[in-house]
Amino acid sequence: MRRTLFSGLMMTTLFQQFKNLEQASIAAVDQIVKSAKSAVSEKGFCTIVLAGGRTPQQTYELLSKPSWADQMPWQQSHFFWGDERWLASKHPDSNFSMAHNALFSKVHIPPRNIHQIPTGHQAPEIGAKMYEKHLRDFFHSKSLTETIRISENTTFPSFDLILLGMGADGHTASLFPGSNFLEEKKKWVTAVKEDAGSPPVPRITLTLPVLNQAKNILFLLSGNKKREILDTVLNEPKKALAYPAAHVKPRENLLWLVAEKD
Ligand code: 6PG
């Protein structure tokens, strides 16, 4: 395992490489439990955003196992999604469905603590507006420290931990290269029409300002298809500006957990 530590003005970046996804997933689930326990002991609750896609599935399955599940403060832990495909909740490609099958169906977490992105409405834009309202109601019901005021009428939530993946094109959540992801300065949640992702369906995503107000962000990647773009994101800041993943800069810690192979 290779560890590299960079420390910026506010943000510390840690890069850890593993032989395989199982080792990286163990490191990821350890980080989730540590973040949850620390936040709950500090303020009585924690807010964790889950990544979609295939890579985090093993992490969620591990979190459902007694050696980690028994450490989790489920009653005080709130789970959200960084993005969702515009599919039915039970669709096999739904990010909610993957996390439900891998984790939430196996642990004793109150249903009210699972904050699903709604996809059953007539348009993704409506789902995005509904999720944003849900997030605003949730965060405004918590202490003011959980929202960051950027200007007179702009605030953003500050999640304790956001898990993210990265596509081979450098996208993260559902922020895709070539889209207007950098222009969004106010909304917390937006709908993504272009069929850029896989599966090529509309999506709902947290916006970049929301990602960057998180206290901690954990990227979990595996496989060599993403290695080249990861090297660019980590080592070539100018060239990486085209990639949304390169714009992710949380308030405190950015952790990259990278498996050489699946
Ligand atoms: C999604 C994800 C997306 C994902 C990357 C990596 O809904 O597709 O949120 O951002 O994290 O595409 O996906 P894999 O883990 O499947 O490679």
Side-chain angles (χ1 to χ4, degrees):
M1 175 181 76
R2 179 162 65 98
R3 289 168 67 101
T4 318
L5 184 62
F6 309 91
S7 198
L9 274 178
M10 292 281 283
M11 182 183 83
T12 299
T13 301
L14 183 63
F15 175 90
Q16 289 185 288
Q17 189 166 299
F18 301 86
K19 285 247 170 296
N20 57 48
L21 182 55
E22 184 184 5
Q23 289 178 1
S25 302
I26 290 170
V29 72
D30 281 341
Q31 191 61 43
I32 293 170
V33 172
K34 186 177 144 217
S35 297
K37 288 164 76 172
S38 156
V40 168
S41 67
E42 187 190 308
K43 60 186 181 179
F45 69 97
C46 70
T47 53
I48 297 172
V49 174
L50 296 181
R54 185 187 44 80
T55 306
Q57 181 168 342
Q58 207 172 138
T59 297
Y60 303 162
E61 286 165 350
L62 288 175
L63 187 55
S64 75
K65 303 253 184 274
S67 37
W68 284 284
D70 293 352
Q71 297 181 61
M72 276 294 287
W74 295 111
Q75 295 298 319
Q76 296 83 17
S77 299
H78 290 267
F79 287 85
F80 305 80
W81 274 263
D83 71 335
E84 184 55 278
R85 295 92 182 264
W86 189 246
L87 297 165
S89 300
K90 292 191 185 321
H91 190 288
D93 286 337
S94 150
N95 290 335
F96 169 82
S97 168
M98 185 274 272
H100 173 77
N101 296 334
L103 173 59
F104 295 126
S105 57
K106 303 172 185 172
V107 295
H108 300 293
I109 180 170
R112 67 175 182 284
N113 289 21
I114 301 171
H115 304 266
Q116 179 183 359
I117 296 179
T119 59
H121 294 270
Q122 59 267 47
E125 292 75 8
I126 294 177
K129 282 196 173 69
M130 289 178 67
Y131 201 52
E132 176 155 337
K133 180 169 182 333
H134 176 78
L135 293 181
R136 285 181 183 276
D137 292 346
F138 176 86
F139 277 88
H140 292 159
S141 72
K142 297 295 180 190
S143 68
L144 281 179
T145 55
E146 297 311 298
T147 50
I148 310 295
R149 179 166 297 285
I150 304 295
S151 66
E152 181 58 31
N153 54 6
T154 307
T155 59
F156 289 107
S158 183
F159 288 99
D160 293 307
L161 175 65
I162 296 184
L163 304 177
L164 290 174
M166 185 180 77
D169 60 356
H171 82 261
T172 190
S174 284
L175 305 176
F176 291 95
S179 69
N180 61 352
F181 72 93
L182 279 174
E183 290 159 27
E184 186 49 65
K185 305 288 185 205
K186 283 195 175 301
K187 286 183 184 166
W188 293 15
V189 186
T190 55
V192 177
K193 287 199 188 67
E194 61 262 24
D195 300 343
S198 165
V201 295
R203 292 149 172 265
I204 294 176
T205 186
L206 297 184
T207 60
L208 184 63
V210 169
L211 301 185
N212 287 347
Q213 290 304 338
K215 299 176 185 66
N216 304 291
I217 286 189
L218 187 163
F219 271 102
L220 179 63
L221 281 74
S222 79
N224 50 25
K225 272 190 303 183
K226 303 176 183 179
R227 190 70 234 199
E228 191 183 331
I229 212 152
L230 175 62
D231 288 344
T232 304
V233 166
L234 293 175
N235 307 315
E236 298 180 68
K238 279 207 176 32
K239 189 177 167 194
L241 287 175
Y243 307 133
H247 293 266
V248 172
K249 300 189 185 330
R251 301 170 61 80
E252 294 172 21
N253 300 296
L254 175 59
L255 175 58
W256 290 88
L257 300 181
V258 179
E260 287 167 14
K261 58 184 173 52
D262 286 353

